[in-house]
């Protein structure tokens, strides 16, 4: 039942996203786990289209925020305006009060405005004029940033990168996939005709079902050992925190549900660890001098740590 519902969403996204099934699955995994996604890639590869297709597929309230250097926190959160007729202030909610939020080019705005969004991501609530307001659920942020332009940008600090469950890269399509993109867009824009295939209530039920996915003690130990290895790696200045371990476990539970399993396996951990751990580590200068990336370090750790022998144990 759960797998069929999730499959409907993924198949619907594929109507507009050609050859990006893996990114769609990872985005859906993050949504099911209650996490958020940072998409880092060059312009024009479909980052915006991906989040729009996801929002339309679940009938969610979609909001887009274009981050610019002059954007203020109130432009994200909302503002209280005085109503002379009622003789009181009225709150007008900002775009963060939605279900699916596209934070476009998040690294182009000031740290103060970035923090306004990140508070909502962490707490599922925002504080305005001393009053705390809950954000509608489900709540999912997909932020984008361009990795090739650094002038006039404000890179996210590592502590704020930790708010994102996954950091993903879209990549260019193959020539055949790009031809198919042109063919589909020749007569119409596919995203305009996309219809919801599940409801928000369905999605909330799926998010609750994620918590029932079993994680054995052996798999928990495997996750913690992998995280501990990042803290002892000679190329890593600051390793993955316990929050990173917890994030990986939740991601594995959501991914197991997505592929129709009731338990997590070490294979799930190995597949998702680079997307969860990579952006949570601060590397030493030696790593940069030798051209070693965070994902490569995670892969080395996964190759080194002993995998639990019973790969499907749920006890």
């Amino acid at each position: 039942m759960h797998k069929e519902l999730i499959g409907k969403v993924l198949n619907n996204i594929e109507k507009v996203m050609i050859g990006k099934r893996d990114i769609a699955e990872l985005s859906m995994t993050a949504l099911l786990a209650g996490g958020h996604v940072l998409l880092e890639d060059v312009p024009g590869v479909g980052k915006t289209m991906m989040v729009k297709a996801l929002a339309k597929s679940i009938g969610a309230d979609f909001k887009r925020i274009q981050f610019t250097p002059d954007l203020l926190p109130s432009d994200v959160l909302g503002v209280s305006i005085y109503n002379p007729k009622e003789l009181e202030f009225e709150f007008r909610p900002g775009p963060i009060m939605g279900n699916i939020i596209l934070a476009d080019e998040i690294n182009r705005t000031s740290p103060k405005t970035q923090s306004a969004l990140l508070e909502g991501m962490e707490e599922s609530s925002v504080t305005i004029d001393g009053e705390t307001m809950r954000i509608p659920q489900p709540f999912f942020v997909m932020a984008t940033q361009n990795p090739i332009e650094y002038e006039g940008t404000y890179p996210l600090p590592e502590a704020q990168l930790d708010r994102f469950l996954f950091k993903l890269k879209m990549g260019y399509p193959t020539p055949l996939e790009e031809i198919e993109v042109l063919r589909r867009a020749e007569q119409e824009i596919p995203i305009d005709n996309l219809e919801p295939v599940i409801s928000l209530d369905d999605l909330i039920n799926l998010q609750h079902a994620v918590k029932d996915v079993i994680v054995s003690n052996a798999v928990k130990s495997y996750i913690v050992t992998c995280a501990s290895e990042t803290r002892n790696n000679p190329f890593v200045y600051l390793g993955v925190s316990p929050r990173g371990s917890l994030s990986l476990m939740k991601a594995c539970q959501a991914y197991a549900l997505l592929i129709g399993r009731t338990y997590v396996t070490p294979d799930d951990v190995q597949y998702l660890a680079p997307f969860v751990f990579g952006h949570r580590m601060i590397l030493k200068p030696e790593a940069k001098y030798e051209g070693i990336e965070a994902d490569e370090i995670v892969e080395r750790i996964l190759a080194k740590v002993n995998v639990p022998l019973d790969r499907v144990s749920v006890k």
Side-chain angles (χ1 to χ4, degrees):
M1 177 64 179
H2 297 145
K3 184 180 179 181
E4 285 75 12
L5 286 175
I6 297 169
K8 286 182 180 180
V9 176
L10 297 175
N11 292 336
N12 208 42
I13 292 173
E14 280 197 315
K15 293 179 180 178
V16 296
M17 297 300 300
I18 311 299
K20 300 298 180 186
R21 180 82 177 196
D22 56 339
I23 300 298
E25 288 182 349
L26 289 168
S27 300
M28 190 66 187
T29 297
L31 177 58
L32 293 172
H36 308 282
V37 171
L38 178 62
L39 271 176
E40 184 179 81
D41 218 322
V42 296
V45 293
K47 300 187 295 293
T48 301
M49 193 70 70
M50 173 64 73
V51 66
K52 278 186 176 181
L54 180 57
K56 282 201 167 191
S57 297
I58 63 175
D61 183 17
F62 172 73
K63 300 289 179 65
R64 181 179 184 271
I65 309 172
Q66 180 63 55
F67 283 84
T68 56
D70 60 347
L71 196 74
L72 299 174
S74 59
D75 297 326
V76 175
L77 304 178
V79 64
S80 295
I81 298 177
Y82 185 72
N83 185 335
K85 290 184 179 181
E86 302 294 333
L87 301 178
E88 61 183 18
F89 284 93
E90 293 180 351
F91 175 68
R92 296 190 179 178
I96 197 173
M97 293 297 184
N99 298 125
I100 306 291
I101 312 297
L102 171 61
D104 216 358
E105 296 190 283
I106 189 174
N107 58 332
R108 290 203 174 278
T109 197
S110 68
K112 187 174 183 179
T113 305
Q114 289 173 353
S115 297
L117 174 69
L118 293 164
E119 178 197 353
M121 291 168 55
E122 180 68 14
E123 307 294 338
S124 291
S125 63
V126 294
T127 304
I128 302 167
D129 296 334
E131 184 178 349
T132 299
M133 300 182 184
R134 298 294 299 174
I135 296 174
Q137 297 298 314
F139 177 61
F140 175 69
V141 174
M142 184 173 282
T144 71
Q145 64 179 13
N146 186 343
I148 61 172
E149 295 180 8
Y150 293 102
E151 292 184 6
T153 62
Y154 304 86
L156 289 171
E158 283 73 12
Q160 294 183 354
L161 283 172
D162 198 35
R163 299 295 191 273
F164 293 96
L165 180 63
F166 292 149
K167 182 179 179 182
L168 307 176
K169 295 182 179 180
M170 297 282 289
Y172 286 112
T174 66
L176 288 177
E177 290 169 350
E178 196 164 352
I179 290 171
E180 179 63 15
V181 171
L182 300 182
R183 188 193 67 78
R184 292 192 186 185
E186 189 174 6
Q187 300 295 332
E188 59 186 11
I189 301 175
I191 190 71
D192 292 341
N193 300 320
L194 215 59
E195 297 290 337
V197 291
I198 68 171
S199 67
L200 285 181
D201 287 338
D202 289 331
L203 178 63
I204 291 172
N205 289 335
L206 288 170
Q207 289 179 327
H208 289 319
V210 167
K211 300 174 184 178
D212 295 328
V213 175
I214 300 169
V215 187
S216 69
N217 290 332
V219 171
K220 289 174 185 171
S221 178
Y222 182 49
I223 291 172
V224 170
T225 301
C226 291
S228 298
E229 285 294 324
T230 68
R231 302 163 199 163
N232 301 318
N233 189 280
F235 292 109
V236 178
Y237 174 72
L238 188 65
V240 174
S241 68
R243 178 161 56 185
S245 302
L246 180 61
S247 296
L248 180 55
M249 185 185 74
K250 289 182 177 179
C252 289
Q253 287 178 290
Y255 184 72
L257 185 78
L258 182 142
I259 61 178
R261 231 188 301 110
T262 59
Y263 55 88
V264 173
T265 71
D267 291 331
D268 301 331
V269 176
Q270 291 179 340
Y271 175 56
L272 295 176
F275 306 116
V276 178
F277 283 176
H279 60 287
R280 287 180 161 87
M281 300 187 299
I282 301 177
L283 304 188
K284 292 180 179 178
E286 298 93 297
K288 297 178 182 178
Y289 295 152
E290 297 189 25
I292 298 174
E293 300 289 340
D295 290 352
E296 184 180 345
I297 293 174
V298 176
E299 294 291 351
R300 291 182 183 181
I301 289 172
L302 292 171
K304 171 185 174 183
V305 175
N306 291 328
V307 179
L309 293 177
D310 188 353
R311 301 178 75 86
V312 297
S313 173
V314 297
K315 296 180 181 179

